[in-house]
Amino acid sequence: MPSTPSTPTTPSTPSTPAKPQHPTTRSLLRDVTVADLDLSGIREHDAVLSLTPAPGGPPLRADGPVYALVRLRGRPVATVLTTVPAGADPAQALATAFRAQYTHEPPTSIGGATPPRTTVVVATRERADRLGRALDSLLAQDHPDFRVVVVDNAPLTLATRDLIATHYADSVTYLREPEPGLATAHNRGVAATDSPVVAFTDDDVVADPGWLSALTAPFAADPRTGCVTGLILPARLTTPAQVLLESHGGFAKGFAPRLYDPAAPPADQPLFPFTAGSFGSGANMAFRTSALRAVGGFDPATGTGTPARGGDDLYAFVRILTAGHRLRYTPGALVWHHHRETWQDLRNQAYGYGAGLTAYLTAVLCRHPALLPALLAKLPRGLAHARAITAHRETPAAGVPGAHGTYEHPWPRTLSRLERRGMLYGPVGYARARWGSR
């Protein structure tokens, strides 16, 4: 799934038409409390170390549905969803639900190496109120050597510049990029990078204190690693739109570390490397700077803020892999994402997901036509995959988040149609963006 269109937007970007009617399934969706549970172990007698609300989320309720990240001594290992009975201890109820599903500790991500010097790039546009929360979490990282760069993309006001000058002048570098588009903003950040690794996140996340260390350590451990992605979990599930987005798989890619190596394509992904949405998302990714520059960076005709509507991160993932580098997914690198809240936001996201998917494929073929035979060979399976991931699914009364990749979660027919409309539009949007940039 493409990354969230949470960063730069532009008035010229085509919007998804609003509809006054809402699907009846919305009335079946309940708000879900999001929590962060840390245990000393998986056995019944092991202690609960802490239970807190997700960063920036609402307080824990005494009863009702709770969706919790479970850690073992600080390491993210799973999520559980359970209903806490009235009067019960939420921590014990969640621990019991977790232990009923897991009998052994999940595998650990690659680690141990000293994280390399890193630049963190945050592209933003007119969201100074949320940006401050993200920057506070980034400046609290335990990484030994990093700096933060904010790229203000096609700003309409001075709000972001003033925020940095007033509160972060000594700790954050401010850059202004007048050309709208997320990929262009990211390329501006890459151009200002003097570190061997460059990481990217969004202005609507809260990064776990160990996020950057976990995300960048694999570069030191394996010189063939060109890209690393991490875990993205929802910070709030308080509106039907937020619950539906997470029920469609959200941004999480699970808790098992994955290595994607073009020299040994994964047997469970026959469309590799063109299923880039399974590798990670733009709100939580890092690249070896030399590798990203060698493939030309991000395609400026993709991404939120352009007519293409998205696909900038997916394009970069595929380019890194087709250039012979490895891509690693490490769930220990965690950020909490604040999903958009309204129904219209969700409509825009569904359309943008579809558009970004076909826009990035168009970008790959336009810039690297030698990949056309490989893509054509996989086209029939690719079309079947596209139909599956956009299929309408009935919403159960529980209306709860589903597991990523299972496609057994709810997804209303209206959003399914929007995704497919977006897929048809994506190549046109990319052509418009590329023609406009010329």
Side-chain angles (χ1 to χ4, degrees), residues 6 20 24 29 81 104 117 123 138 147 160 170 196 202 205-206 208 249 260 276 301 307 319 323 379 385 391 396 417:
S6 60
T24 57
L29 297 170
L81 176 71
H104 61 279
R117 184 165 54 90
L138 293 175
R147 71 182 184 115
T160 298
D170 297 330
D202 288 350
V205 309
V206 175
D208 220 40
Y260 298 98
R319 286 296 296 122
L379 186 59
H385 177 72
R417 287 196 295 264

Side-chain angles (χ1 to χ4, degrees), residues 2-5 7-10 13 123 153 179-187 285 292 295-319 352-368 425-438:
S3 67
T4 177
T7 35
T9 59
T10 176
T13 301
N153 188 216
E179 183 70 22
L182 182 55
T184 300
H186 281 170
N187 284 339
M285 61 183 182
L292 184 59
V295 299
F298 299 91
D299 186 332
T302 61
T304 306
T306 72
R309 302 289 294 261
D312 52 301
D313 50 350
L314 308 184
Y315 174 85
F317 297 156
V318 171
R319 286 296 296 122
Y353 288 159
L357 176 62
T358 52
Y360 108 79
L361 289 171
T362 305
V364 167
L365 295 182
C366 286
R367 294 188 178 275
H368 308 282
Y425 167 79
V428 177
Y430 178 75
R432 288 180 56 199
R434 191 166 181 186
W435 180 84
S437 66
R438 288 179 177 176

Side-chain angles (χ1 to χ4, degrees), residues 13 111 143 162 227 338 340 344 400 427:
T13 301
H143 191 285
D162 291 346
C227 177
H338 285 260
R340 298 295 185 90
Q344 185 58 36
V400 295

Side-chain angles (χ1 to χ4, degrees), residues 38 49 129 161 199 214 288 302 332 356 425 427:
D38 195 8
L49 301 179
D129 54 336
R161 190 193 72 175
R288 195 176 299 277
T302 61
Y425 167 79

